[in-house]
Amino acid sequence: MNAQTQRRQVAGPAGEIECAIDEPVLAEGQSLRGVVVICHPNPTQGGTMDNKVVQTVARGFLQLGYRAVRFNFRGIGQSQGGWDEGRGEVDDALAVVAAFRDASLPLALAGFSFGGFVASQAALRLDTPAERLLLVGPAASRFGVATVPATTVVIHGEQDDVVPLTAVLDWARPQALPVIVVPGVGHFFHGQLPLLKNLVLRSWHPVGTAPV
């Protein structure tokens, strides 16, 4: 994302996992708000941790005061191993959480598309629950996106041609889970990435508080 992005390899179940860590710029007296681990879209369709939506989500969390951790699933970039149809990829996410979670800070999980599926499944297996989840364009029509906590933020494009909005609404309806629908926007938020970042900022704050 920028010259200050740190690159690290951490141990994973299928070998080393390539990670990118960005630190927020904190004002004097401001402390780190938390750590967010962000999962990228389907690796079989070109998804990587450098995907524009993933980077936009990371920028939003940096502005919120979080340390942002992105990583490549097994077999992508410098991450070892190979595609495991979603099973091993959830294990990868949990390994990254274990490597970067700070017991003194809240943990957030985020994911775009296939990464939304991974984040939802990883959240179920955490011994200590995540503070909150953010799912952008979760792949509800293609993978078994888990039931999520009521505080989860879900953002989806009205004209998503990869994951139809109807599939996400069908997944959200039994949970009475609100979905933020962005009119006229497709799966990759082309031309609307600044809007996506603003939605992350606006939706993450508790009611009555102002953005950082």
Side-chain angles (χ1 to χ4, degrees):
M1 294 223 302
N2 55 56
Q4 284 71 48
T5 300
Q6 305 168 47
R7 301 277 174 166
R8 275 182 54 189
Q9 300 285 121
V10 301
E16 290 191 341
I17 300 173
E18 180 184 16
C19 302
I21 307 97
D22 289 283
E23 298 286 348
V25 177
L26 300 175
E28 186 175 351
Q30 183 185 10
S31 57
L32 197 63
R33 183 172 173 186
V35 177
V36 60
V37 173
I38 308 167
C39 304
H40 71 69
N42 197 327
T44 68
Q45 298 174 321
T48 76
M49 67 179 177
D50 293 323
N51 169 272
K52 295 297 185 185
V53 172
V54 171
Q55 292 195 60
T56 298
V57 169
R59 289 188 180 98
F61 274 99
L62 289 172
Q63 193 168 332
L64 288 165
Y66 284 73
R67 174 181 297 129
V69 180
R70 297 170 289 129
F71 68 98
N72 277 329
F73 289 120
R74 54 185 65 196
I76 300 301
Q78 299 301 309
S79 293
Q80 298 174 330
W83 169 245
D84 194 33
E85 300 178 352
R87 296 178 296 268
E89 287 74 14
V90 174
D91 295 334
D92 292 344
L94 290 167
V96 173
V97 167
F100 291 99
R101 188 166 200 173
D102 184 329
S104 67
L105 293 169
L107 170 76
L109 286 178
F112 168 47
S113 195
F114 169 79
F117 150 74
V118 172
S120 74
Q121 291 291 343
L124 294 179
R125 292 169 52 184
L126 292 174
D127 292 333
T128 303
E131 169 199 21
R132 205 171 181 193
L133 276 67
L134 169 73
L135 309 181
V136 179
S141 62
R142 299 174 173 225
F143 295 91
V145 181
T147 298
V148 294
T151 56
T152 299
V153 175
V154 183
I155 303 172
H156 207 84
E158 178 194 21
Q159 295 182 356
D160 193 319
D161 56 350
V162 176
V163 181
L165 175 59
T166 53
V168 171
L169 294 177
D170 288 346
W171 161 76
R173 191 174 297 111
Q175 306 175 62
L177 183 68
V179 176
I180 299 170
V181 178
V182 187
V185 168
H187 190 64
F188 295 98
F189 287 79
H190 292 308
Q192 296 293 340
L193 292 174
L195 172 60
L196 174 61
K197 190 182 87 164
N198 285 335
L199 286 173
V200 172
L201 297 177
R202 285 159 45 190
S203 60
W204 201 256
H205 290 281
V207 173
T209 63
V212 174

